[in-house]
Amino acid sequence: MAYQSVNPSNGEVLKNFDQLNNSQLEQSLAAAESCFQTWKHTTYAERAVIVGKAAALMRTHVDDFAKLATLEMGKRIDEARGEVKFSADILAYYAEHAEKFLAPTKLHPKVGAAHMESSPFGVLFCVEPWNFPFYQLARVAGPQLMAGNTLVVKHAGCVPQCAIAFEKLWIDAGAPKGAYTNLLISHEQSEKIIDDPRIKGVALTGSVAAGKSIAAQAGQNLKKTSMELGGSDAFIVLDDADLEKTIPWAVWGRMYNAGQTCCAAKRFIVLDSIADKFLEKFKVALSALTPGDPMDEKTTHGPLSTEAALVQLLKQVDEAVASGAKLVMGGKRIDRPGSFMETTILTDIKPDNPAFRDEFFGPVVSFFRVKDEAAAIALANDSDFGLGGSVFTKDEARGKRVASQVDTGMMFINNIDWSDAELPFGGIKYSGYGRELGNMGIQEFVNKKLVRTADLNAPA
Ligand code: NAP
C-alpha cells in the first residue's frame, strides 16, 4: 500500500488510503491551473489574509496537528508541537514580508530608467518528505502562495493523514479550490505531472536518489527545480571547545527527531587532544536517553519513522562494521515493540568504508579523531554532501575562519540552531541547490522581468 498510516511506536496499521486515479489527478491539475489564473491577480494583502489565517489556525490547533505527526512518523510530542508552531511562524512570516521581498527593484542604466519586477510562474509541483511532515509543507506553501503561484503537492507515503490535514488547513483558511492540492499519487504519476505543460516548476525535498530522478525528468522539460536533499554534516570540535556546552549540542544535533534530520550532526570530527574526553562524555549523555512512547512527554528517545527505515539503518551499521568500523556503543534494534534503534557510535571509519560517504538517517554517530584544525576542515570537506555543519570553539573568530573553509550551504558556530523563517536554508553538492526560507526562498519560482523605459530613436 503506497499510502498507509502506521504507528511506528507499536507497528499498528492505522489507516490505508487509495491513490488518485488518472482522471481524478487530471481534475486536480485543471483546478490548480484554473485557480492560478485568478490567484495571480489577487493582491498581496488578499493573499496575506488567507496565509495569515492558516498560520493562526495552526497555532490554535497545535495539538491536533502535532498528534498526527507523532502518530504517523513517531516524532516525540514536544518536538511535534515545536514543528507545528514553527510552521505557523513561517506562514505568518511570508504573509507579512512577501510584498516587500517581491517589490520591483530599480536599476540604473546609463540611459533611461529600468526596473526588475517579479511575477509568479504558475502551478508548482512539490514533492516532500515525512521527517518534518508540516514544516516541509509550510516551507513551500507560505512563500509560493504569497508569490502568487498555486501548488500541487505529493507528500511521503507514510504520512497521508498529515498531508490531508495540511490541505484541509487551506480550505479552512479560505483559500480558493486549487490553490493548494494534496495528491496521493504514485512515482509514475509524478513523472507524468512533471511532463505536464501546466506545471511550471518543481521543488523536491528528499533523498539524493529522488533528486536525481525528479531533476532529470524536469530537465527533460527544461523546468526550473529546487532540490533540498540529504546531508552528512560535520560537527567539528576544536581543542579549545567548552565541552559542558558542546556535549548537549552534540546530543541534540544527532538525536533531535530521532536523528532523522537532513542537517543533523552526523560526522563528529574532534581534535585529538580532547577526543577521548569528548567521546566519554558523549557516550554518557547518549546513554541517558530513554526510549518510549513518543506521545509520552517523558520519552527522550523515539522510534524511527517506519520499520523499513529501521531495517535500512541496521543494514548500514552492519556493513560499516563488516568493512572495518568499530562499534563503540549500540548497533541493534531495541528489544521492544516498534521501530526503535539503539543510540549507536561508530569509530575507525576509513575512506574505503561505505559508511565514510553514506548518510545515516537515524541515531548513529560517526566519530573521527583528527590531529589539527586543518585536518578537521579537510575531513569535513571530504564528503559528497554539502548541506550544513558546525564548529565548537571558545574563540569565535577561529570558529568563523573554520566555517568559511567548509564547503556547505550553512555553518553554525557554537550552536546548531538550524532553521529560522528569516534565514535561507539549503546546500551544495549532493545536498542539492536552491534555497528555501528567508527572502531567497520566495525568489525561486518567480519570473524576474526587466522593464526598461528610454525615449530613444532607433539606431540608423
Ligand atoms: P525520499 O525517499 O526521497 O522521499 C521523499 C519524497 O520523495 C517522498 O514524498 C517520496 O514519495 C518522494 N519520492 C521518492 N522518489 C520519488 C520518485 N522517483 N518520484 C516521485 N517521488 C519520489 O526521501 P526519504 O529517504 O524518505 O527522506 C529523507 C531524505 O530527505 C534524507 O536524505 C534527508 O536528508 C532528506 N531531507 C532533506 C532536507 C533538506 O532540506 N535538504 C530536509 C528533509 C529531508 P514516497 O514516500 O511515496 O516514496
Side-chain angles (χ1 to χ4, degrees):
M1 173 57 66
Y3 288 89
Q4 188 175 54
S5 236
V6 178
N7 183 344
S9 80
N10 58 19
E12 187 194 346
V13 177
L14 303 166
K15 222 168 170 182
N16 289 313
F17 293 80
D18 289 335
Q19 277 179 205
L20 294 187
N21 62 37
N22 286 339
S23 94
Q24 290 167 319
L25 176 56
E26 169 51 34
Q27 282 169 25
S28 295
L29 291 179
E33 170 61 22
S34 155
C35 180
F36 174 65
Q37 295 308 331
T38 47
W39 185 248
K40 67 180 176 184
H41 294 303
T42 55
T43 64
Y44 286 107
E46 286 166 332
R47 293 172 204 160
V49 169
I50 291 165
V51 177
K53 177 87 190 290
L57 284 171
M58 283 199 102
R59 287 187 183 126
T60 311
H61 299 287
V62 167
D63 264 19
D64 299 338
F65 285 104
K67 279 181 185 157
L68 277 185
T70 301
L71 209 57
E72 285 196 307
M73 52 71 67
K75 191 180 297 262
R76 292 191 300 107
I77 188 70
D78 61 327
E79 291 181 344
R81 287 194 195 103
E83 178 185 339
V84 175
K85 288 180 199 157
F86 185 32
S87 304
D89 290 348
I90 292 170
L91 299 181
Y93 171 77
Y94 283 107
E96 185 181 347
H97 296 287
E99 182 165 14
K100 178 179 67 195
F101 291 154
L102 296 178
T105 52
K106 247 183 144 174
L107 301 176
H108 304 283
K110 286 193 196 82
V111 178
H115 72 265
M116 299 296 298
E117 60 187 38
S118 300
S119 51
F121 273 8
V123 186
L124 305 179
F125 179 45
C126 306
V127 182
E128 302 298 332
W130 46 265
N131 63 339
F132 290 91
F134 297 113
Y135 158 75
Q136 296 293 348
L137 303 181
R139 274 189 1 176
V140 288
Q144 300 313 333
L145 287 172
M146 282 306 301
N149 292 307
T150 58
L151 279 70
V152 289
V153 181
K154 187 217 169 301
H155 211 335
C158 62
V159 287
Q161 297 197 60
C162 294
I164 290 165
F166 197 77
E167 180 186 52
K168 181 172 179 297
L169 172 73
W170 293 102
I171 298 164
D172 294 346
K177 182 173 156 48
Y180 181 101
T181 309
N182 176 56
L183 302 175
L184 299 178
I185 50 168
S186 66
H187 291 186
E188 293 69 33
Q189 286 171 311
S190 292
E191 281 186 19
K192 288 209 184 79
I193 294 180
I194 297 170
D195 289 342
D196 191 296
R198 289 167 291 193
I199 296 297
K200 298 295 192 277
V202 181
L204 165 75
T205 297
S207 59
V208 173
K212 286 183 178 178
S213 159
I214 287 173
Q217 191 74 23
Q220 284 299 313
N221 291 281
L222 296 177
K223 286 180 187 173
K224 173 97 194 284
T225 52
S226 72
M227 294 283 143
E228 298 279 0
L229 308 177
S232 190
D233 289 7
F235 183 105
I236 299 173
V237 185
L238 299 181
D239 41 7
D240 64 343
D242 176 350
L243 289 188
E244 292 309 307
K245 286 190 171 167
T246 305
I247 295 293
W249 276 115
V251 174
W252 191 83
R254 181 62 282 201
M255 293 303 297
Y256 173 74
N257 206 27
Q260 306 163 110
T261 305
C262 50
C263 51
K266 291 175 186 146
R267 294 177 300 142
F268 292 76
I269 301 176
V270 186
L271 262 55
D272 204 24
S273 59
I274 56 163
D276 289 335
K277 220 191 228 175
F278 176 89
L279 190 55
E280 203 39 54
K281 285 177 184 283
F282 197 15
K283 263 196 306 196
V284 171
L286 288 175
S287 308
L289 301 176
T290 46
D293 182 350
M295 279 296 178
D296 183 344
E297 314 274 350
K298 290 193 291 299
T299 295
T300 49
H301 180 156
L304 294 183
S305 60
T306 59
E307 182 63 21
L310 173 63
V311 168
Q312 156 75 10
L313 196 59
L314 289 167
K315 188 163 155 255
Q316 278 181 286
V317 170
D318 287 348
E319 270 173 21
V321 173
S323 307
K326 277 196 193 133
L327 197 59
V328 170
M329 176 179 175
K332 296 194 204 58
R333 78 180 295 151
I334 298 176
D335 185 17
R336 52 162 293 143
S339 318
F340 288 81
M341 168 89 183
E342 289 178 343
T343 46
T344 299
I345 301 180
L346 294 167
T347 63
D348 300 81
I349 303 165
K350 299 286 177 312
D352 61 350
N353 193 322
F356 190 84
R357 305 229 151 252
D358 286 355
E359 177 184 29
F360 283 81
F361 217 54
V364 179
V365 169
S366 299
F367 182 84
F368 301 86
R369 58 175 77 222
V370 288
K371 68 175 186 329
D372 56 21
E373 187 181 305
I377 295 165
L379 182 54
N381 286 335
D382 192 359
S383 169
D384 300 331
F385 293 106
L387 189 55
S390 53
V391 191
F392 289 80
T393 167
K394 286 197 190 111
D395 178 349
E396 201 178 297
R398 188 180 179 202
K400 284 183 182 159
R401 250 187 353 256
V402 172
S404 296
Q405 293 173 76
V406 179
D407 303 331
T408 59
M410 304 174 286
M411 284 301 289
F412 303 89
I413 298 162
N414 292 327
N415 72 84
I416 342 184
D417 200 4
W418 296 308
S419 197
D420 258 319
E422 300 83 8
L423 303 179
F425 187 105
I428 58 168
K429 303 199 265 183
Y430 271 14
S431 296
Y433 49 81
R435 293 292 179 268
E436 289 183 345
L437 298 177
N439 186 345
M440 288 178 81
I442 201 170
Q443 311 291 345
E444 290 285 343
F445 296 104
V446 288
N447 177 27
K448 293 289 178 190
K449 188 193 291 175
L450 168 73
V451 181
R452 182 177 193 172
T453 325
D455 190 8
L456 294 174
N457 294 324

